[in-house]
Amino acid sequence: MIRKQPSMRFDPTPDGSPAEEADSLALRNADMSSTGGTLNVEDVTRLLAEADFMRGELNASDHETEIMDPKVELERILLSIGKGKPTVRAVHRRRKPAKIVRPPGSFLLGVTSFVYSKKTFERVFQQAIADMREEYNEAILANKKWRARFIVVRGNFSVISAASLHLPVSIVRIVTTFWKVGS
Amino acid sequence: MKSVPTLTKTELLILEQLVGNRELYGLEIIKKEPRLKRGTIYVLLGRLEEKGFVKSRQRVEANVSGLPRRVYAITGAGVAVRQAHRALDEALKHFGPAGETA
């Protein structure tokens, strides 16, 4: 977890209150003591530039309100420097965006509702497609993707076979209806 | 003359599953009897309904999405014709070829 850090401010030439001057002096003394007392103008300039850079970084991190998972963050860093393990890379590869798909049998549902009578559609095709969807959902819940695919293929085949069984009857009915209307 | 409704072997299998159970839909019948096919079950149930051996109704379930389900139950005529078929099968078992009793 990355915690929010308070922003720091380094002022190289304090011209304000005596307290700020004292703070600045203490900072310079500390810098000099860490470098063995041989701090020159270039070093001071460099240190001030670094402090300014750090201030910018810390201010940017103030805007981060999202609490990140340390494991995910570690994986991200490892991947960014090219040291990610294969398992870590696989985890990142698996994260595909969710896809919205139509339920199985939607096309056949539309075709059969158009071709066949309401009674036949409700009693035969709608029920067969409902069966297929029930079995499909059971397979998906059990995380059996190939089983689900097989169920869709088998369900489509069973609906088509039922449609072919009903087709002669429906054709005779349609012809009879048109003949009655024509005569 | 009143026509006697016929009953095929597959239709008899469906009646056998419906006897003793209150109401079943096609998939439940298939799960109980694997010899029945998914593509023909609803066609056969429709024929049985036309003959008057089964009756059906649309099951209305609140809070359940999806396509509506039609459940089937056996009628009195269905029970009678099933018993008649079983009695006929039992009687035929006791007769061998050329009318000899077994």
Side-chain angles (χ1 to χ4, degrees), chain A residues 11-73:
Chain A
D11 195 356
T13 53
D15 51 359
S17 63
E20 281 181 354
E21 263 189 50
D23 284 345
S24 180
L25 190 64
L27 181 69
R28 286 183 191 194
N29 289 337
D31 285 335
M32 285 179 76
S33 63
S34 66
T35 53
T38 58
L39 200 67
N40 53 24
V41 177
E42 285 84 13
D43 288 331
V44 170
T45 312
R46 184 177 52 78
L47 281 168
L48 290 173
E50 281 177 9
D52 200 33
F53 178 72
M54 273 177 67
R55 188 186 63 184
E57 286 272 299
L58 291 168
N59 285 338
S61 68
D62 283 349
H63 295 289
E64 284 184 8
T65 52
E66 187 184 343
I67 297 168
M68 298 179 77
D69 185 8
K71 197 176 172 187
V72 173
E73 183 63 13

Side-chain angles (χ1 to χ4, degrees), chain B residues 23-92:
Chain B
E23 286 177 326
L24 296 174
Y25 57 87
L27 188 62
E28 288 173 329
I29 298 171
I30 291 164
K31 281 179 179 173
K32 285 174 181 288
E33 180 53 74
R35 282 181 285 178
L36 295 167
K37 301 277 183 265
R38 283 170 174 76
T40 54
I41 181 78
Y42 289 106
V43 180
L44 294 169
L45 281 167
R47 283 181 195 161
L48 283 170
E49 199 173 4
E50 281 175 12
K51 290 173 188 175
F53 298 149
V54 296
K55 60 182 177 184
S56 72
R57 68 173 182 90
Q58 194 142 311
R59 192 166 66 185
V60 181
E61 284 178 294
N63 307 322
V64 175
S65 61
L67 297 170
R69 281 283 189 192
R70 184 165 281 276
V71 287
Y72 294 85
I74 194 164
T75 60
V79 175
V81 79
R82 175 184 161 270
Q83 282 176 348
H85 259 267
R86 287 186 76 175
L88 188 66
D89 284 345
E90 287 295 319
L92 286 173

Side-chain angles (χ1 to χ4, degrees), chain A residues 135-136 139 144-152 154, chain B residues 38:
Chain A
E135 286 187 293
Y136 175 82
K144 295 176 180 173
K145 283 186 180 178
W146 282 102
R147 171 87 184 148
R149 285 172 191 167
F150 168 71
I151 284 165
V152 171
R154 188 184 62 185
Chain B
R38 283 170 174 76

